[in-house]
Amino acid sequence: MEVNDNFIYTKEHEWASIEDNIVTVGISDYAQESLGDITFVELPAKDDEIDQFGDLASVESVKAASDIFSPMSGKIVEVNNDLEVEPGLINKSPYENGWIAKIEISDPEEASNLMTADEYRKFLESEG
Amino acid sequence: MELIFEKSVDGLRGYLNPNSDVGDAKVPSKYTRKEAAKLPELSELDVIRHFSRLSKRNFGVDTHFYPLGSCTMKYNPKFTEKIAAMPEFADMHPLLPQLKQGEKLVQGSLEVLFEMEQLLCEITGMDAFTMQPLAGAHGELTGVMMIAAYHKVKGNKKKYIIVPDASHGTNPATAAIAGYEMICVPSDKNGVIDLEKLKEVVTDEVAGLMLTSPNTHGVFNSDIEKIADMIHAVDGLMYYDGANLNATLGRCRPADVGFDIVHINIHKTFSTPHGGGGPGAGPVGVNKKLIPYLPISRVIKDDKGFYSLDYDYPESIGYIASFYGNFSILLRAYAYILLLGKEGLKEVSNMAVLNANYIKEQLKEYYDLAYDRHCMHECVFSASKQAGRGVHAIDIAKFLIDQGMHPPTVYFPLTVKEAIMIEPTETESKSTIDWFIEKMKEADVLSKKSPEDFKDFPKTTPVSRPNEVKAAMDINTSYFI
Amino acid sequence: MIPYIANTKKDVEEMLKCIGVESVDDLFKDIGPKHSPKSFNLPSGKSEFEVVKKLQAIACKNTSSLINFVGGGYYDHYVPAALSTVMSRSEFYTAYTPYQPECSQGFLQALYEFQSSICTLTNMDIANASLYDGGTALYEAAMMAIRVTKRNKIIMDGGVSPIYRKILKTYTSNLNFEFEETPVTHGHSDRDKISELLDKDTAAIILQNPNFFGAIDDHSDIIEQAHSKGILVIESVYPISLGVLKTPGEMGADIVVGDGQSLGLPLNLGGPYFGFMATKKKYVRKMPGRIVGETTDKQGRRCFVNTLQAREQHIRREKATSNICTNAALCALQGLVFMSLLGKQGFKELAELNYKKGEFARQTLEKIKGVEVKRSSPTFNEFTVCLSKDACYVVEQMINKGFAAGFPLGRYYKGMEHYMIIAVTEKRTKEEILNYAKALKEVLKDKS
């Protein structure tokens, strides 16, 4: 299970990548693997305001459905429309082409509520 | 096999309408459809043959052992079909009893509904029933709406319904659509709701707790009255999901152990055909404190023995279905209960539980038991050991199809990894069950010997494993799209 | 000894020995004495013959000889004999929900064909594999519209069945929804009032065609107006009428629901029937209920599966689109066989025949003194009359003359005590209609 060292993570297996005041959000390799083949992604609307750990999107596979929570608060500035056509991008490339949304960060301090890559690795181990 | 639309031949028909004996009249063209619906055109024989052939591509209880855990796929006695077909019952229009003096016309049907209510009250210990809910989940919704009505009248501020993690998905879904938030409580090491964890979440804001008993791990909770006391202490209500009532007929009645509301899945315990997923019936019983909130109408009987509909319940939650319930399903169940009687119903649970324990005992060396204790009417295994060899619960299910049976439930309850949930019911013979046990053992042996074989099962069915990802991606749900 | 239990005494002994307990009672030791029933006072069992005899006697307390003119959304149509042949195939009726597609292809394909038939009947893209009945289907449609639009107001046209309106009110009473109803008219929907009510908080407007009073309408204009405000339109329909009437799809409706009873199901005092729901493709993921989809197996052969299950309660739990699990699959199959037997031409003719019978009855009754036909628009096979006497009284008198004469509207509408709706299906012969007219004339003439 790959954990991208450059990102930070939530307990619900979302990753966040912060560049300036924009955070890009997706789900971890572990999350995509437990879901199986993803068949549908419900994307948020651009310009929506969102709270940290609030509902951001949802993904569906044949046998499961999962809500995606936002790692940080802010305004959605871009969504990955490619996922509408090819939801499997999340399976193929969870940390790159499978990103879900970009959010303009309203409170950079919130990043401290997330796990580092190392912490996330340990978290995964403890989850078994 | 071809679709019925692909067999269509222009101009054919399978039924002739009566000739018109009245004058011609045409719907004004501004209100008519442009072209006729493209229904298939076939002779009567071709229609019959199409569906007869389709039926051959389907397993039912009459043709195959069907130990689908949580679903109680018992044999459906045929005499109840005969009764349900009696035209004196089948031809009754539902609005007849709502006409003035119309109740006179349907005394027989109303008697069935009334008497069925009395029987269900005695079976569950409840004080009154509504026959209206059209399926188990519909009963749940009716029950939770009554919980809400109760709290509203009492001025209670309630927000939560508690549901154990092993519950059927219908419980949390029902709580949510009825306007409650759900609190999920995990199971303890014995497979029953964790009392300590439960204590932590029981607050004044708890409207009620929904519990299946025995639960979906096949375990009867011996602490049930302690739980009821905790919930009642905050004026919460105890809801009994009757999906597993088949295990405890005559052994334990929900009302006697502290439940306030119960729904019964008539098509499970009382043996009406499951019909490929319905219709069912989900009557809901309540104790005295909830009677005012029962849906209307209710069937009553006066001292002269006359049955009528009563709508005069000002605190009722109102109409939950168009009429009085799935009448012909209730009728079948009524006949079934009359035939079995008191001793017969007890025997049902005795044999259902015996059969399940026998399977549990015979297979526990081969499959990991979720909970190693006596079970009730169903037993839950985990195929984790087999999964370690690359053979998952679903693969074992597909192997069993090839052996000529419908497989047990897999991947439910969600609390057990690689769950295989087996409910043989009381109607299966020991020799059938022995055969099933042998097949389960064979599956285990094969999982060691050649796990790769499993990927190709089933091989004996008209189609092999469907591509479900494709079905969900390239959505095709109609011939005409 | 029960004929549905197969274990002999010897079997039981062997099984107990294997389990390692002395008696069956030992298996129930989790159920302690404190859990014992306070009573279990049921009658003793009976033989099959005795039960059949008893139920036949109860059945005979019903009066099934009346000639039926009662409708209200549930109609006395003829059920072709071939239906019972298919319905008695126990591979269908003793199966359960097709969770294992390889051994359920029969039912899955049939449900796909059912969905297709509903789609062509309504001219919609997508249909589900059935809901419980028409009333609960309408409730599910309203909830779906609320999910789609994220608004919380529902407007109900005055022509929607009062039974459905009561159901909807029950289900939403504990939820934060607003309801508005347009005034009841026995003719077309009240356009002015509807325009007034459609606003930016409105999730959906519910219309019915033909409406409860039998009136047919073309709702295209209302639908267009609703869409311009982002409002969904739910149409409740009577399936037989769609043999001829302009379809909800042609009008532009977003969600279509109805009760399938008239598609070959016996009246059975209210059930089981089935509900159906159809919608536009873009709303498929918001739709409740099971959906069967086409796909291919490993060898590339066409096959069918339950699809988009991630919407459903067994996966989505508290976030599911509905709590529905058991639906009315067998009744849906019955509806499919009915539609298949009638076929394209037959179904259209059936609808036309129902229309003609209704017209004949209306024209016949119109001539009777004391009967005023309320008709500001065409009607399908049911129409509204205003009588010179209380409709309940008239119906009571007509029962004595062998007719279930119609449904008095005073039961659901204050001030309409003299009104009644009369349904006339293809089963009513000219002679029956003329005899009905004669009887009604006598009742209205009587001094009382």
Side-chain angles (χ1 to χ4, degrees), chain C residues 312-339:
Chain C
E312 294 186 62
Q313 48 78 25
H314 62 281
I315 292 180
R316 202 64 153 241
R317 296 175 78 86
E318 70 272 20
K319 290 193 171 168
T321 50
S322 164
N323 75 334
I324 194 166
C325 178
T326 286
N327 55 15
L330 193 71
C331 300
L333 173 66
Q334 196 158 355
L336 168 67
V337 181
F338 180 84
M339 289 186 274

PDB file of all heavy atoms in Angstrom, chain C residues 312-339:
ATOM      1  N   GLU C 312     -28.575   1.639  -2.057  1.00  0.00           N
ATOM      2  CA  GLU C 312     -29.567   0.921  -1.261  1.00  0.00           C
ATOM      3  C   GLU C 312     -29.152   0.711   0.185  1.00  0.00           C
ATOM      4  O   GLU C 312     -27.980   0.773   0.525  1.00  0.00           O
ATOM      5  CB  GLU C 312     -29.876  -0.424  -1.926  1.00  0.00           C
ATOM      6  CG  GLU C 312     -30.562  -0.276  -3.274  1.00  0.00           C
ATOM      7  CD  GLU C 312     -30.975  -1.622  -3.837  1.00  0.00           C
ATOM      8  OE1 GLU C 312     -31.787  -2.296  -3.206  1.00  0.00           O
ATOM      9  OE2 GLU C 312     -30.441  -2.008  -4.893  1.00  0.00           O
ATOM     10  N   GLN C 313     -30.151   0.394   0.999  1.00  0.00           N
ATOM     11  CA  GLN C 313     -29.936   0.337   2.447  1.00  0.00           C
ATOM     12  C   GLN C 313     -28.930  -0.717   2.878  1.00  0.00           C
ATOM     13  O   GLN C 313     -28.224  -0.517   3.851  1.00  0.00           O
ATOM     14  CB  GLN C 313     -31.271   0.148   3.189  1.00  0.00           C
ATOM     15  CG  GLN C 313     -32.190  -0.956   2.667  1.00  0.00           C
ATOM     16  CD  GLN C 313     -31.795  -2.350   3.073  1.00  0.00           C
ATOM     17  OE1 GLN C 313     -31.132  -2.545   4.072  1.00  0.00           O
ATOM     18  NE2 GLN C 313     -32.206  -3.337   2.305  1.00  0.00           N
ATOM     19  N   HIS C 314     -28.833  -1.832   2.172  1.00  0.00           N
ATOM     20  CA  HIS C 314     -27.927  -2.869   2.660  1.00  0.00           C
ATOM     21  C   HIS C 314     -26.458  -2.459   2.498  1.00  0.00           C
ATOM     22  O   HIS C 314     -25.583  -3.049   3.118  1.00  0.00           O
ATOM     23  CB  HIS C 314     -28.221  -4.234   2.033  1.00  0.00           C
ATOM     24  CG  HIS C 314     -28.051  -4.282   0.537  1.00  0.00           C
ATOM     25  ND1 HIS C 314     -28.993  -3.789  -0.326  1.00  0.00           N
ATOM     26  CD2 HIS C 314     -27.053  -4.746  -0.227  1.00  0.00           C
ATOM     27  CE1 HIS C 314     -28.578  -3.975  -1.559  1.00  0.00           C
ATOM     28  NE2 HIS C 314     -27.404  -4.543  -1.539  1.00  0.00           N
ATOM     29  N   ILE C 315     -26.205  -1.438   1.667  1.00  0.00           N
ATOM     30  CA  ILE C 315     -24.845  -0.909   1.558  1.00  0.00           C
ATOM     31  C   ILE C 315     -24.750   0.468   2.198  1.00  0.00           C
ATOM     32  O   ILE C 315     -23.904   0.725   3.038  1.00  0.00           O
ATOM     33  CB  ILE C 315     -24.414  -0.839   0.076  1.00  0.00           C
ATOM     34  CG1 ILE C 315     -24.253  -2.263  -0.479  1.00  0.00           C
ATOM     35  CG2 ILE C 315     -23.106  -0.058  -0.056  1.00  0.00           C
ATOM     36  CD1 ILE C 315     -23.840  -2.328  -1.923  1.00  0.00           C
ATOM     37  N   ARG C 316     -25.662   1.348   1.828  1.00  0.00           N
ATOM     38  CA  ARG C 316     -25.539   2.743   2.235  1.00  0.00           C
ATOM     39  C   ARG C 316     -26.092   2.999   3.636  1.00  0.00           C
ATOM     40  O   ARG C 316     -25.923   4.071   4.185  1.00  0.00           O
ATOM     41  CB  ARG C 316     -26.278   3.613   1.210  1.00  0.00           C
ATOM     42  CG  ARG C 316     -25.853   5.064   1.134  1.00  0.00           C
ATOM     43  CD  ARG C 316     -24.419   5.252   0.675  1.00  0.00           C
ATOM     44  NE  ARG C 316     -24.195   6.518   0.019  1.00  0.00           N
ATOM     45  CZ  ARG C 316     -23.782   6.651  -1.233  1.00  0.00           C
ATOM     46  NH1 ARG C 316     -23.555   5.581  -1.954  1.00  0.00           N
ATOM     47  NH2 ARG C 316     -23.589   7.836  -1.752  1.00  0.00           N
ATOM     48  N   ARG C 317     -26.841   2.054   4.184  1.00  0.00           N
ATOM     49  CA  ARG C 317     -27.435   2.173   5.523  1.00  0.00           C
ATOM     50  C   ARG C 317     -28.104   3.532   5.721  1.00  0.00           C
ATOM     51  O   ARG C 317     -29.022   3.853   4.969  1.00  0.00           O
ATOM     52  CB  ARG C 317     -26.384   1.826   6.587  1.00  0.00           C
ATOM     53  CG  ARG C 317     -25.955   0.340   6.449  1.00  0.00           C
ATOM     54  CD  ARG C 317     -24.860  -0.067   7.369  1.00  0.00           C
ATOM     55  NE  ARG C 317     -25.309  -0.303   8.741  1.00  0.00           N
ATOM     56  CZ  ARG C 317     -25.804  -1.438   9.192  1.00  0.00           C
ATOM     57  NH1 ARG C 317     -25.971  -2.463   8.375  1.00  0.00           N
ATOM     58  NH2 ARG C 317     -26.147  -1.580  10.447  1.00  0.00           N
ATOM     59  N   GLU C 318     -27.692   4.341   6.710  1.00  0.00           N
ATOM     60  CA  GLU C 318     -28.465   5.551   7.020  1.00  0.00           C
ATOM     61  C   GLU C 318     -28.413   6.597   5.921  1.00  0.00           C
ATOM     62  O   GLU C 318     -29.158   7.578   5.961  1.00  0.00           O
ATOM     63  CB  GLU C 318     -28.054   6.140   8.375  1.00  0.00           C
ATOM     64  CG  GLU C 318     -26.670   6.759   8.436  1.00  0.00           C
ATOM     65  CD  GLU C 318     -25.580   5.759   8.780  1.00  0.00           C
ATOM     66  OE1 GLU C 318     -25.807   4.534   8.617  1.00  0.00           O
ATOM     67  OE2 GLU C 318     -24.496   6.189   9.192  1.00  0.00           O
ATOM     68  N   LYS C 319     -27.554   6.407   4.922  1.00  0.00           N
ATOM     69  CA  LYS C 319     -27.516   7.398   3.844  1.00  0.00           C
ATOM     70  C   LYS C 319     -28.181   6.883   2.558  1.00  0.00           C
ATOM     71  O   LYS C 319     -28.058   7.475   1.496  1.00  0.00           O
ATOM     72  CB  LYS C 319     -26.076   7.811   3.569  1.00  0.00           C
ATOM     73  CG  LYS C 319     -25.520   8.628   4.720  1.00  0.00           C
ATOM     74  CD  LYS C 319     -24.241   9.314   4.411  1.00  0.00           C
ATOM     75  CE  LYS C 319     -23.890  10.262   5.542  1.00  0.00           C
ATOM     76  NZ  LYS C 319     -22.539  10.755   5.446  1.00  0.00           N
ATOM     77  N   ALA C 320     -28.903   5.787   2.675  1.00  0.00           N
ATOM     78  CA  ALA C 320     -29.527   5.181   1.502  1.00  0.00           C
ATOM     79  C   ALA C 320     -30.629   6.085   0.934  1.00  0.00           C
ATOM     80  O   ALA C 320     -31.149   6.954   1.622  1.00  0.00           O
ATOM     81  CB  ALA C 320     -30.120   3.829   1.885  1.00  0.00           C
ATOM     82  N   THR C 321     -30.977   5.844  -0.339  1.00  0.00           N
ATOM     83  CA  THR C 321     -32.033   6.634  -0.970  1.00  0.00           C
ATOM     84  C   THR C 321     -33.409   6.264  -0.431  1.00  0.00           C
ATOM     85  O   THR C 321     -34.381   6.987  -0.648  1.00  0.00           O
ATOM     86  CB  THR C 321     -32.043   6.414  -2.492  1.00  0.00           C
ATOM     87  OG1 THR C 321     -32.038   4.999  -2.736  1.00  0.00           O
ATOM     88  CG2 THR C 321     -30.828   7.030  -3.150  1.00  0.00           C
ATOM     89  N   SER C 322     -33.512   5.099   0.232  1.00  0.00           N
ATOM     90  CA  SER C 322     -34.788   4.657   0.783  1.00  0.00           C
ATOM     91  C   SER C 322     -34.478   3.511   1.736  1.00  0.00           C
ATOM     92  O   SER C 322     -33.392   2.945   1.689  1.00  0.00           O
ATOM     93  CB  SER C 322     -35.690   4.159  -0.350  1.00  0.00           C
ATOM     94  OG  SER C 322     -36.758   3.405   0.167  1.00  0.00           O
ATOM     95  N   ASN C 323     -35.436   3.151   2.593  1.00  0.00           N
ATOM     96  CA  ASN C 323     -35.191   1.980   3.439  1.00  0.00           C
ATOM     97  C   ASN C 323     -35.769   0.724   2.819  1.00  0.00           C
ATOM     98  O   ASN C 323     -35.754  -0.335   3.427  1.00  0.00           O
ATOM     99  CB  ASN C 323     -35.773   2.210   4.851  1.00  0.00           C
ATOM    100  CG  ASN C 323     -37.284   2.085   4.874  1.00  0.00           C
ATOM    101  OD1 ASN C 323     -37.938   2.296   3.861  1.00  0.00           O
ATOM    102  ND2 ASN C 323     -37.835   1.755   6.018  1.00  0.00           N
ATOM    103  N   ILE C 324     -36.279   0.819   1.598  1.00  0.00           N
ATOM    104  CA  ILE C 324     -36.976  -0.324   1.008  1.00  0.00           C
ATOM    105  C   ILE C 324     -36.035  -1.504   0.793  1.00  0.00           C
ATOM    106  O   ILE C 324     -34.885  -1.334   0.402  1.00  0.00           O
ATOM    107  CB  ILE C 324     -37.700   0.059  -0.304  1.00  0.00           C
ATOM    108  CG1 ILE C 324     -38.676  -1.038  -0.715  1.00  0.00           C
ATOM    109  CG2 ILE C 324     -36.709   0.363  -1.430  1.00  0.00           C
ATOM    110  CD1 ILE C 324     -39.672  -0.641  -1.790  1.00  0.00           C
ATOM    111  N   CYS C 325     -36.516  -2.696   1.104  1.00  0.00           N
ATOM    112  CA  CYS C 325     -35.735  -3.920   0.886  1.00  0.00           C
ATOM    113  C   CYS C 325     -36.621  -4.846   0.072  1.00  0.00           C
ATOM    114  O   CYS C 325     -36.557  -4.875  -1.137  1.00  0.00           O
ATOM    115  CB  CYS C 325     -35.344  -4.521   2.240  1.00  0.00           C
ATOM    116  SG  CYS C 325     -34.434  -6.049   2.109  1.00  0.00           S
ATOM    117  N   THR C 326     -37.527  -5.576   0.741  1.00  0.00           N
ATOM    118  CA  THR C 326     -38.529  -6.342   0.008  1.00  0.00           C
ATOM    119  C   THR C 326     -39.381  -5.352  -0.797  1.00  0.00           C
ATOM    120  O   THR C 326     -39.801  -4.330  -0.267  1.00  0.00           O
ATOM    121  CB  THR C 326     -39.412  -7.113   1.013  1.00  0.00           C
ATOM    122  OG1 THR C 326     -38.656  -8.206   1.515  1.00  0.00           O
ATOM    123  CG2 THR C 326     -40.676  -7.617   0.370  1.00  0.00           C
ATOM    124  N   ASN C 327     -39.595  -5.654  -2.085  1.00  0.00           N
ATOM    125  CA  ASN C 327     -40.456  -4.777  -2.881  1.00  0.00           C
ATOM    126  C   ASN C 327     -41.710  -5.541  -3.294  1.00  0.00           C
ATOM    127  O   ASN C 327     -42.371  -6.124  -2.456  1.00  0.00           O
ATOM    128  CB  ASN C 327     -39.681  -4.178  -4.054  1.00  0.00           C
ATOM    129  CG  ASN C 327     -39.024  -5.242  -4.925  1.00  0.00           C
ATOM    130  OD1 ASN C 327     -39.330  -6.426  -4.854  1.00  0.00           O
ATOM    131  ND2 ASN C 327     -38.097  -4.831  -5.759  1.00  0.00           N
ATOM    132  N   ALA C 328     -42.032  -5.556  -4.555  1.00  0.00           N
ATOM    133  CA  ALA C 328     -43.217  -6.301  -5.001  1.00  0.00           C
ATOM    134  C   ALA C 328     -42.893  -6.996  -6.313  1.00  0.00           C
ATOM    135  O   ALA C 328     -43.646  -6.937  -7.271  1.00  0.00           O
ATOM    136  CB  ALA C 328     -44.403  -5.356  -5.138  1.00  0.00           C
ATOM    137  N   ALA C 329     -41.727  -7.664  -6.333  1.00  0.00           N
ATOM    138  CA  ALA C 329     -41.206  -8.228  -7.578  1.00  0.00           C
ATOM    139  C   ALA C 329     -42.207  -9.158  -8.264  1.00  0.00           C
ATOM    140  O   ALA C 329     -42.404  -9.085  -9.480  1.00  0.00           O
ATOM    141  CB  ALA C 329     -39.897  -8.969  -7.302  1.00  0.00           C
ATOM    142  N   LEU C 330     -42.842 -10.022  -7.496  1.00  0.00           N
ATOM    143  CA  LEU C 330     -43.750 -10.989  -8.113  1.00  0.00           C
ATOM    144  C   LEU C 330     -44.943 -10.283  -8.766  1.00  0.00           C
ATOM    145  O   LEU C 330     -45.398 -10.682  -9.838  1.00  0.00           O
ATOM    146  CB  LEU C 330     -44.245 -11.993  -7.056  1.00  0.00           C
ATOM    147  CG  LEU C 330     -44.933 -13.228  -7.622  1.00  0.00           C
ATOM    148  CD1 LEU C 330     -43.924 -14.145  -8.300  1.00  0.00           C
ATOM    149  CD2 LEU C 330     -45.675 -13.991  -6.525  1.00  0.00           C
ATOM    150  N   CYS C 331     -45.413  -9.234  -8.128  1.00  0.00           N
ATOM    151  CA  CYS C 331     -46.526  -8.460  -8.700  1.00  0.00           C
ATOM    152  C   CYS C 331     -46.065  -7.728  -9.961  1.00  0.00           C
ATOM    153  O   CYS C 331     -46.815  -7.600 -10.921  1.00  0.00           O
ATOM    154  CB  CYS C 331     -47.056  -7.465  -7.681  1.00  0.00           C
ATOM    155  SG  CYS C 331     -47.682  -8.242  -6.186  1.00  0.00           S
ATOM    156  N   ALA C 332     -44.823  -7.268  -9.939  1.00  0.00           N
ATOM    157  CA  ALA C 332     -44.273  -6.618 -11.132  1.00  0.00           C
ATOM    158  C   ALA C 332     -44.200  -7.619 -12.275  1.00  0.00           C
ATOM    159  O   ALA C 332     -44.514  -7.303 -13.430  1.00  0.00           O
ATOM    160  CB  ALA C 332     -42.888  -6.048 -10.830  1.00  0.00           C
ATOM    161  N   LEU C 333     -43.808  -8.844 -11.956  1.00  0.00           N
ATOM    162  CA  LEU C 333     -43.767  -9.901 -12.977  1.00  0.00           C
ATOM    163  C   LEU C 333     -45.170 -10.108 -13.552  1.00  0.00           C
ATOM    164  O   LEU C 333     -45.349 -10.242 -14.767  1.00  0.00           O
ATOM    165  CB  LEU C 333     -43.239 -11.200 -12.348  1.00  0.00           C
ATOM    166  CG  LEU C 333     -43.276 -12.448 -13.220  1.00  0.00           C
ATOM    167  CD1 LEU C 333     -42.333 -12.312 -14.415  1.00  0.00           C
ATOM    168  CD2 LEU C 333     -42.901 -13.688 -12.418  1.00  0.00           C
ATOM    169  N   GLN C 334     -46.151 -10.102 -12.672  1.00  0.00           N
ATOM    170  CA  GLN C 334     -47.530 -10.267 -13.116  1.00  0.00           C
ATOM    171  C   GLN C 334     -47.925  -9.134 -14.072  1.00  0.00           C
ATOM    172  O   GLN C 334     -48.556  -9.369 -15.105  1.00  0.00           O
ATOM    173  CB  GLN C 334     -48.449 -10.282 -11.886  1.00  0.00           C
ATOM    174  CG  GLN C 334     -49.830 -10.812 -12.156  1.00  0.00           C
ATOM    175  CD  GLN C 334     -50.508 -11.316 -10.886  1.00  0.00           C
ATOM    176  OE1 GLN C 334     -49.915 -11.351  -9.808  1.00  0.00           O
ATOM    177  NE2 GLN C 334     -51.755 -11.722 -11.006  1.00  0.00           N
ATOM    178  N   GLY C 335     -47.523  -7.933 -13.725  1.00  0.00           N
ATOM    179  CA  GLY C 335     -47.786  -6.787 -14.596  1.00  0.00           C
ATOM    180  C   GLY C 335     -47.109  -6.949 -15.951  1.00  0.00           C
ATOM    181  O   GLY C 335     -47.689  -6.647 -16.997  1.00  0.00           O
ATOM    182  N   LEU C 336     -45.880  -7.449 -15.925  1.00  0.00           N
ATOM    183  CA  LEU C 336     -45.147  -7.660 -17.174  1.00  0.00           C
ATOM    184  C   LEU C 336     -45.851  -8.692 -18.052  1.00  0.00           C
ATOM    185  O   LEU C 336     -46.003  -8.493 -19.260  1.00  0.00           O
ATOM    186  CB  LEU C 336     -43.711  -8.136 -16.871  1.00  0.00           C
ATOM    187  CG  LEU C 336     -42.920  -8.660 -18.070  1.00  0.00           C
ATOM    188  CD1 LEU C 336     -42.618  -7.531 -19.056  1.00  0.00           C
ATOM    189  CD2 LEU C 336     -41.628  -9.333 -17.624  1.00  0.00           C
ATOM    190  N   VAL C 337     -46.287  -9.799 -17.454  1.00  0.00           N
ATOM    191  CA  VAL C 337     -46.956 -10.839 -18.241  1.00  0.00           C
ATOM    192  C   VAL C 337     -48.249 -10.264 -18.839  1.00  0.00           C
ATOM    193  O   VAL C 337     -48.567 -10.507 -20.000  1.00  0.00           O
ATOM    194  CB  VAL C 337     -47.240 -12.094 -17.383  1.00  0.00           C
ATOM    195  CG1 VAL C 337     -47.916 -13.164 -18.222  1.00  0.00           C
ATOM    196  CG2 VAL C 337     -45.956 -12.641 -16.777  1.00  0.00           C
ATOM    197  N   PHE C 338     -48.954  -9.480 -18.044  1.00  0.00           N
ATOM    198  CA  PHE C 338     -50.184  -8.848 -18.532  1.00  0.00           C
ATOM    199  C   PHE C 338     -49.892  -7.968 -19.752  1.00  0.00           C
ATOM    200  O   PHE C 338     -50.538  -8.078 -20.788  1.00  0.00           O
ATOM    201  CB  PHE C 338     -50.802  -8.008 -17.405  1.00  0.00           C
ATOM    202  CG  PHE C 338     -52.071  -7.302 -17.788  1.00  0.00           C
ATOM    203  CD1 PHE C 338     -53.299  -7.940 -17.727  1.00  0.00           C
ATOM    204  CD2 PHE C 338     -52.044  -5.973 -18.208  1.00  0.00           C
ATOM    205  CE1 PHE C 338     -54.477  -7.280 -18.082  1.00  0.00           C
ATOM    206  CE2 PHE C 338     -53.212  -5.310 -18.563  1.00  0.00           C
ATOM    207  CZ  PHE C 338     -54.429  -5.967 -18.498  1.00  0.00           C
ATOM    208  N   MET C 339     -48.887  -7.110 -19.607  1.00  0.00           N
ATOM    209  CA  MET C 339     -48.562  -6.206 -20.724  1.00  0.00           C
ATOM    210  C   MET C 339     -48.091  -6.994 -21.944  1.00  0.00           C
ATOM    211  O   MET C 339     -48.383  -6.631 -23.075  1.00  0.00           O
ATOM    212  CB  MET C 339     -47.482  -5.201 -20.292  1.00  0.00           C
ATOM    213  CG  MET C 339     -47.998  -4.160 -19.306  1.00  0.00           C
ATOM    214  SD  MET C 339     -46.769  -2.877 -18.922  1.00  0.00           S
ATOM    215  CE  MET C 339     -45.849  -3.635 -17.595  1.00  0.00           C
TER     216      MET C 339
END
